[in-house]
């Protein structure tokens, strides 16, 4: 590019910038006009938010925010403190990956897609009008248990609902593996090359069923991500995915479920969606899924992926003679767990499900992994190096003890009346506690307990000396805060839920750990590189079975999507959020609340997550008599937490015996780097560190 073309390109860029500004101004004007019209409509005495919402392309909550008079009277009159509905995370009927929180308006940055698309170049500084600073968001309030009899009524089980051992054999489904980039299809021992046309769902179904006329029930996409083919046309990846799933499929329609299989409808997810289709005559059903639900592929061909699933099935069969690989790891994990429910003894009649109120409280107050980036001045602006330690198969370390039995409420008065020994035993047991926390005045390390932050289901970890906050936390985290090697924190018990200690997950987890160990050994010692790679992928799949199986116990309120013709606009469900529309169809999503799921045990997931977060801070290695974790590093050396990984500025001599929970050196940049200030910068450094360690012959 010469100077003249550079100047021309700059002029063109300014033109695009001005067009964007005009478009935004026009959009803001249209939105203001829309909001004004909504307020005018609300003045009509018979106006209803559920009628106005689809006409405006908004959710009912958005309409009520603009016109509070349209709020349902029953909600306005409800003074009973109830747990707010959490953001949907895992649709239980599908047990598939979690959808993101409800979308922001189109003018907001697409945070979920930030890693998928490069940021646009900024406009020249001298021409950009400064935006007014955003108003600071207040931390959200966490729910509490009501006082008196209304709160005591929560401490019961849902009548007639319990996890029981199945009395049927799970049926396997005919499966094919398809690379939509190359068109290579693997069906059993045969390999075919397909013409996939434009890679639409209709093109894939037509090509696959032409090649395998006897029919298949599951199509795993191993590469290509065809649902992203029109991503540039949409502001969010989920919009592109929804459009791909809901595009016309002649001869097929959206599956409505059958028999024991309650999974129906498409599952819209930015990365790993699920398309469910059935023939117009109802005779055939098929799913299109991403193999990314199970493990990350790195250019692996469909034959290697097929071999990984075969090895996975064979390894599971050593422990479950009726094991079947289902569509997702979460489905597989829960199905395998039900087949470990005892047939004799205390729990032979099943594990009862908590009341809906307690489940709702746990959903709102028990977070999952710790994800925190610590930025300057809490760490140096120039890091001497960056080291990544990842806890191997981390959640498997925390399944040996879980809550069972009827929960008991432990009020502040009850707890205060106990002896110190009783208090310690309770906090070390299976409990979930509402606490008032005060950071010590001389504290100089990372935060220890999660506190609610602005945003749906967002958490942060206060570490400022003297800071005080109210939160909920599990026993392992409270025990760590009170007995940490630096300085005990002040914890005031406000309320709590306490269960008996049990082992409902122990047998299941031991079998999965043994399966993982077996496949990991095959990956290390197999003489055939392709089979070694397949064994490695299979071992990663076992990790997903346990990880997502635990997440499935959380049983978040399910989110479903659907479409309605524009001509039938008033048929859009009143509590649905409009997520897209064109000249013919309105696409919407809505939460369906808690289903009567007999395998809903959020108390188990919450206990495991709490134990994993505590182990990031401090974990004892009994054989060596040593400790590992963030609190065993010097202050100012912890750069980030990321679910089960730690990022530090110095290497540690922590033992690693290839056992669940051990800290594995996963990445290492030995030279100085600028401290990351965004998640994207951290992930870029993580990838560079893993590459550098692999090139230097380290473990990866």
């Amino acid at each position: 590019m010469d100077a003249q073309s550079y100047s021309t390109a700059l002029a063109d860029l300014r033109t695009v910038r001005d067009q964007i500004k005009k478009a935004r101004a026009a959009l803001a004007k249209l939105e203001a006009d829309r909001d004004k019209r909504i307020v005018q409509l609300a003045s009509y005495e018979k106006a209803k938010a559920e009628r106005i919402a689809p006409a405006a392309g908004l959710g009912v909550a958005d309409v009520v925010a603009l016109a509070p008079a349209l709020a349902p009277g029953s909600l306005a009159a409800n003074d009973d403190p109830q747990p707010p509905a959490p953001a949907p995370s895992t649709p239980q009927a599908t047990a598939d990956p979690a959808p993101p929180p409800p979308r922001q308006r189109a003018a907001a940055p697409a945070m979920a897609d930030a890693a998928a698309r490069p940021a646009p170049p900024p406009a020249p500084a001298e021409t950009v009008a400064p935006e007014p600073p955003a108003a600071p968001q207040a931390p959200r309030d966490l729910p509490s248990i009501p006082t008196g009899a209304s709160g005591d009524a929560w401490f019961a089980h849902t009548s007639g609902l319990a996890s029981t051992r199945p009395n049927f054999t799970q049926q396997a489904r005919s499966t094919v593996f398809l690379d939509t980039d190359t068109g290579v299809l693997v069906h059993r021992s045969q390999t075919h090359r397909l013409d996939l046309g434009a890679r639409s769902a209709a093109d894939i179904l037509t090509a696959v069923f032409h090649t395998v006329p006897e029919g298949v029930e599951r199509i795993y996409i191993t590469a290509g991500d065809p649902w992203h083919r029109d991503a540039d046309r949409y502001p969010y990846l989920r919009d592109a995915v929804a459009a791909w799933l809901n595009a016309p499929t002649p001869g097929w329609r959206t599956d409505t479920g059958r028999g024991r299989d309650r999974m129906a409808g498409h599952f819209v997810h930015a990365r790993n969606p699920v398309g469910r289709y059935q023939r117009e005559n109802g005779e055939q059903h098929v799913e299109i899924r991403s193999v990314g639900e199970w493990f990350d592929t790195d250019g692996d061909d469909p034959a290697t992926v097929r071999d990984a699933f075969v090895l996975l099935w064979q390894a599971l069969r050593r422990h479950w003679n009726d094991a079947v690989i289902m569509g997702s790891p979460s489905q597989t994990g829960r199905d395998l767990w039900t087949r470990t429910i005892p047939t004799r003894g205390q729990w032979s009649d099943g594990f009862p499900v908590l009341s809906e109120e307690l489940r709702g409280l746990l959903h709102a107050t028990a977070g999952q992994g710790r994800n925190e980036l610590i930025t300057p001045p809490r760490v140096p602006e120039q890091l001497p190096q960056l080291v990544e330690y990842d806890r191997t198969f981390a959640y498997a370390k925390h399944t040996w003890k879980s809550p069972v039995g009827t929960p008991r409420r432990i009020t502040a008065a009850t707890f205060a009346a106990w002896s110190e020994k009783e208090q310690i035993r309770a906090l070390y047991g299976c409990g979930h506690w509402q606490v008032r926390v005060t950071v010590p005045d001389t504290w100089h390390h990372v935060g220890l307990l999660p506190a609610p932050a602005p945003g749906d289901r967002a958490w942060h970890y206060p570490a400022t000396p003297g800071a005080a906050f109210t939160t909920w936390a599990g026993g392992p985290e409270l025990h760590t805060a009170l007995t940490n090697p630096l300085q005990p924190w002040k914890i005031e018990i406000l309320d709590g839920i306490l269960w008996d200690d049990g082992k409902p997950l122990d047998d299941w987890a031991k079998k999965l750990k043994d399966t993982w160990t077996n496949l990991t050994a095959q990956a290390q010692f197999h003489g055939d590189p392709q089979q070694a790679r397949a064994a490695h992928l299979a071992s990663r799949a076992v990790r997903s079975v346990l990880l997502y199986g635990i997440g499935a116990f959380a049983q978040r309120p399910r989110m479903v999507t659907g479409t309605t013709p524009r001509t039938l606009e008033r048929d859009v469900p009143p509590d649905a959020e409009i997520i897209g529309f064109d000249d013919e169809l309105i696409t919407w999503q809505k939460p369906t609340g808690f289903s009567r799921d007999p395998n809903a045990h959020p108390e188990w997931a919450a206990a495991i997550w709490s134990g994993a977060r505590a182990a990031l801070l401090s974990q004892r290695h009994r054989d060596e008599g040593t400790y590992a974790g963030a609190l065993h590093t010097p202050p100012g050396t912890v750069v980030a937490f990321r679910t089960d990984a730690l990022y530090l500025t110095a290497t540690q001599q922590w033992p690693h015996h290839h056992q669940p929970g051990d800290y594995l050196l996963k990445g290492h940049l030995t030279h100085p780097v600028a401290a990351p200030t965004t998640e994207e910068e951290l992930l870029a450094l993580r990838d560079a560190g893993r590459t550098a360690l692999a090139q230097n012959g380290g473990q990866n």
Side-chain angles (χ1 to χ4, degrees):
M1 177 179 286
D2 56 24
Q4 183 177 356
S5 58
Y6 177 73
S7 299
T8 302
L10 277 178
D12 293 340
L13 181 60
R14 294 188 186 97
T15 300
V16 172
R17 175 203 68 206
D18 294 340
Q19 290 174 343
I20 290 173
K21 291 176 66 176
K22 289 179 181 178
R24 284 177 175 165
L27 176 62
K29 184 177 180 180
L30 286 171
E31 288 182 335
D33 183 45
R34 177 200 62 196
D35 295 348
K36 180 179 178 181
R37 292 173 186 270
I38 290 173
V39 173
Q40 290 174 343
L41 286 168
S43 64
Y44 176 52
E45 62 180 6
K46 295 183 179 180
K48 294 183 178 180
E50 58 266 27
R51 289 290 305 280
I52 296 174
L58 297 174
V60 172
D62 296 318
V63 172
V64 171
L66 290 167
L70 297 178
S74 59
L75 288 181
N78 187 4
D79 294 327
D80 236 6
Q82 298 287 338
S89 179
T90 307
Q92 190 55 34
T94 65
D96 287 326
R103 303 182 327 157
Q104 303 297 314
R105 297 188 179 183
M111 296 301 292
D113 301 345
R117 299 194 185 100
E126 68 273 9
T127 64
V128 177
E131 295 184 2
Q137 290 182 283
R140 71 188 193 285
D141 292 327
L142 296 179
S144 301
I145 304 171
T147 57
S150 59
D152 294 340
W154 290 17
F155 289 77
H157 291 116
T158 301
S159 177
L161 199 60
S163 306
T164 57
R165 193 181 184 103
N167 58 4
F168 64 94
T169 300
Q170 195 69 252
Q171 298 299 308
R173 295 192 178 185
S174 175
T175 302
V176 298
F177 301 89
L178 175 64
D179 182 332
T180 59
D181 277 338
T182 63
V184 172
L185 174 82
V186 171
H187 176 229
R188 297 176 183 166
S189 60
Q190 299 177 332
T191 300
H192 309 271
R193 188 172 295 274
L194 311 185
D195 180 1
L196 298 177
R199 299 192 303 156
S200 68
D203 292 332
I204 290 172
L205 292 172
T206 299
V208 170
F209 278 84
H210 176 75
T211 306
V212 189
E214 64 269 29
V216 298
E217 295 178 275
R218 185 174 296 135
I219 302 170
Y220 275 125
I221 306 299
T222 64
D225 296 340
W227 36 79
H228 293 163
R229 62 177 187 153
D230 293 328
D232 291 340
R233 295 173 49 193
Y234 297 89
Y236 298 91
L237 275 181
R238 292 187 75 234
D239 291 342
V241 171
W244 188 88
L245 291 171
N246 291 304
T249 49
W252 298 83
R253 57 185 171 86
T254 303
D255 200 346
T256 55
R258 63 196 189 281
R260 294 181 181 274
D261 190 350
R262 292 175 295 130
M263 296 175 295
H266 302 316
F267 177 72
V268 181
H269 185 272
R271 305 291 175 183
N272 299 312
V274 182
R276 298 188 176 96
Y277 304 92
Q278 65 181 116
R279 289 282 192 189
E280 291 287 1
N281 58 18
E283 293 181 357
Q284 288 179 308
H285 302 253
V286 63
E287 293 180 332
I288 300 178
R289 311 187 73 112
S290 169
V291 80
E293 297 178 77
W294 293 87
F295 41 70
D296 292 331
T297 59
D298 185 16
D300 297 297
D301 58 63
T304 302
V305 175
R306 178 218 39 212
D307 291 347
F309 276 89
V310 171
L311 289 174
L312 172 64
W313 176 76
Q314 291 173 341
L316 291 174
R317 281 272 171 152
R318 294 188 179 97
H319 297 287
W320 288 274
N321 59 11
D322 55 353
V324 169
I325 297 178
M326 303 180 71
S328 71
S330 59
Q331 294 166 326
T332 305
R334 290 215 309 176
D335 180 70
L336 293 175
W337 172 76
T338 61
R339 298 173 193 279
T340 64
I341 295 175
T343 55
R344 289 182 293 180
Q346 182 179 6
W347 304 109
S348 58
D349 292 334
F351 293 94
V353 173
L354 294 177
S355 69
E356 187 168 324
E357 292 82 2
L358 276 189
R359 281 182 279 154
L361 180 75
L362 286 165
H363 294 317
T365 60
Q368 193 171 350
R370 177 170 181 168
N371 288 285
E372 180 185 21
L373 177 61
I374 300 172
T375 57
R378 293 179 61 191
V379 296
E381 292 191 359
Q382 192 78 2
L383 307 179
Q385 55 183 318
L386 185 65
V387 188
E388 178 191 7
Y389 285 97
D390 184 73
R391 295 187 66 228
T392 302
F393 205 14
Y395 286 1
K397 176 78 172 179
H398 307 286
T399 54
W400 63 277
K401 182 177 73 172
S402 301
V404 294
T406 303
R408 292 174 288 153
R409 182 176 190 177
I410 310 300
T411 63
T414 300
F415 189 85
W418 283 350
S419 67
E420 182 179 357
K421 184 177 180 180
E422 289 173 317
Q423 292 178 348
I424 292 173
R425 185 187 302 118
L427 292 178
Y428 194 69
C430 294
H432 191 58
W433 303 92
Q434 186 180 33
V435 291
R436 178 72 176 171
V437 183
T438 303
V439 182
D441 290 337
T442 57
W443 187 255
H444 55 285
H445 217 298
V446 298
L448 302 187
L449 292 171
D456 248 345
R457 298 192 62 79
W459 302 89
H460 66 154
Y461 294 80
T464 305
F469 57 94
T470 299
T471 190
W472 286 82
E477 292 166 285
L478 293 182
H479 190 263
T480 299
L482 291 168
T483 63
N484 73 80
L486 302 178
Q487 187 178 9
W489 282 28
K490 181 181 178 182
I491 307 291
E492 178 187 357
I493 301 294
L494 305 178
D495 212 338
I497 311 166
L498 188 62
W499 291 267
D500 294 334
D501 296 352
K503 294 181 176 293
L505 304 177
D506 194 44
D507 185 36
W508 172 73
K510 283 180 178 177
K511 291 178 176 179
L512 289 177
K513 284 186 279 189
D514 185 75
T515 303
W516 172 79
T517 300
N518 178 278
L519 290 168
T520 301
Q522 288 188 54
Q524 291 176 338
F525 302 114
H526 204 294
D528 183 337
Q530 180 173 333
Q531 287 301 300
R533 176 62 181 172
H536 171 73
L537 294 178
S539 72
R540 300 298 293 172
V542 176
R543 176 186 177 276
S544 296
V545 167
L546 186 135
L547 176 69
Y548 294 117
I550 290 168
F553 286 123
Q555 199 242 348
R556 311 259 182 224
R558 185 180 176 223
M559 180 70 74
V560 297
T561 61
T563 57
T564 300
R566 290 291 295 267
T567 56
L568 300 175
E569 193 172 281
R570 65 174 56 199
D571 292 340
V572 173
D575 55 344
E577 176 193 8
I578 307 299
I579 61 174
F581 51 85
D582 55 27
D583 292 339
E584 297 180 358
L585 293 175
I586 298 172
T587 304
W588 47 265
Q589 67 178 13
K590 71 167 193 170
T592 59
F594 295 108
S595 63
R596 279 186 61 83
D597 182 355
N599 297 322
H601 293 285
E603 69 277 18
W604 296 349
I608 291 169
W609 294 338
S610 177
R613 291 193 299 268
L616 280 177
L617 297 169
S618 182
Q619 174 177 283
R620 183 184 178 191
H621 290 266
R622 295 182 184 274
D623 293 342
E624 290 84 359
T626 60
Y627 289 84
L631 292 180
H632 303 280
T633 65
T637 61
V638 179
V639 177
F641 298 86
R642 189 168 175 81
T643 307
D644 50 12
L646 273 178
Y647 296 83
L648 309 172
T649 61
T651 57
Q652 307 294 320
Q653 298 302 313
W654 293 336
H656 184 269
H657 303 300
H658 301 280
Q659 295 299 313
D662 287 356
Y663 280 90
L664 170 68
L665 178 61
K666 197 74 175 288
H668 191 187
L669 290 174
T670 58
H671 53 80
V673 295
T677 58
T678 66
E679 183 182 21
E680 289 73 23
E681 292 175 359
L682 174 66
L683 294 180
L685 291 174
R686 177 200 67 181
D687 294 342
R690 291 181 179 181
T691 300
L693 183 64
Q695 291 174 346
N696 292 331
Q699 291 175 301
N700 199 4

